Amino acid sequence: DNNTLNMSILDEQSDLRAIVNYFRSQGHQHIVLIGESQGGLVSALTAAQMRDAVSQLVLVFPALCIPQNWRARYPKLSDIPEVTELWNVKMGRRFFEEIHDMNTFDIIGKYRGPVLIVQGDKDQVVLIEDSKRAQKLYRDARLHIIPGAGHGFKPKEFQEEAEQLEKFLK
């Protein structure tokens, strides 16, 4: 609903689970989750929860670091303000409370299907080390690194991502 003050990773997961369940109820058996940045975190967490319903997972500069980054900024729940502004977006306390004790890397490896991770080696938001760590947790994962790419791809980098995605989905 674009209400960032009430935004929540858990709500986004719930929405994604509902979408997956809808398409499965329509007879679709090959479900691929694709997420960029925070959407990558949501897709990775959802795939771990719905491992039998998700056929393939694509993570593009996945912000798997969100819980640990905010936990470092707000070590105690009492440190979290009512509103935090990030990149000119106001986010409510609930967002940070719900992920405070979440350890992404303890969860995501529960997904056992094929995974493609696409990451730029110059990303200043999501460190390449997190994508490498995630690759090791998955049973069947490939990490494609785009030299010079940051957080968000330029047209040429996006084309490279699209080519990798096409190969992965065949």
Side-chain angles (χ1 to χ4, degrees):
D1 64 5
N2 289 331
N3 179 356
T4 59
L5 287 174
N6 196 36
M7 180 173 59
S8 160
I9 296 288
L10 300 183
D11 283 351
E12 290 183 7
Q13 279 185 264
S14 177
D15 291 347
L16 188 52
R17 280 194 311 271
I19 292 167
V20 170
N21 286 332
Y22 170 79
F23 281 102
R24 292 202 34 105
S25 77
Q26 299 300 304
H28 299 280
Q29 297 304 311
H30 190 83
I31 305 289
V32 180
L33 298 185
I34 302 174
E36 291 184 352
S37 195
Q38 181 173 301
L41 171 63
V42 171
S43 293
L45 294 171
T46 304
Q49 286 180 330
M50 303 185 79
R51 54 189 165 268
D52 294 332
V54 175
S55 303
Q56 291 173 281
L57 176 62
V58 179
L59 305 174
V60 182
F61 41 84
L64 304 173
C65 57
I66 287 175
Q68 78 182 40
N69 287 357
W70 287 107
R71 194 168 39 254
R73 182 166 177 184
Y74 303 131
K76 297 181 290 190
L77 287 172
S78 60
D79 295 333
I80 303 170
E82 287 303 313
V83 176
T84 297
E85 191 166 324
L86 175 67
W87 299 329
N88 295 318
V89 175
K90 292 181 181 185
M91 298 165 61
R93 178 182 175 86
R94 177 175 171 233
F95 179 91
F96 307 100
E97 284 179 333
E98 289 184 354
I99 62 170
H100 190 270
D101 294 326
M102 180 185 290
N103 187 334
T104 306
F105 296 99
D106 287 347
I107 300 168
I108 63 171
K110 293 176 183 170
Y111 177 69
R112 308 309 286 161
V115 180
L116 171 65
I117 305 169
V118 182
Q119 170 93 36
D121 67 355
K122 300 294 185 217
D123 195 326
Q124 298 296 312
V125 176
V126 174
L127 301 179
I128 193 94
E129 289 77 20
D130 284 344
S131 289
K132 289 177 179 177
R133 181 176 177 192
Q135 179 188 21
K136 291 176 184 172
L137 293 173
Y138 288 118
R139 183 176 67 186
D140 179 11
R142 193 175 104 214
L143 172 61
H144 180 80
I145 299 171
I146 300 178
H151 196 73
F153 295 153
K154 295 175 183 159
K156 184 179 175 200
E157 298 159 347
F158 180 76
Q159 180 61 38
E160 186 172 337
E161 172 199 343
E163 290 167 5
Q164 293 301 312
L165 181 59
E166 186 177 352
K167 287 179 195 175
F168 178 70
L169 295 176
K170 283 187 177 183

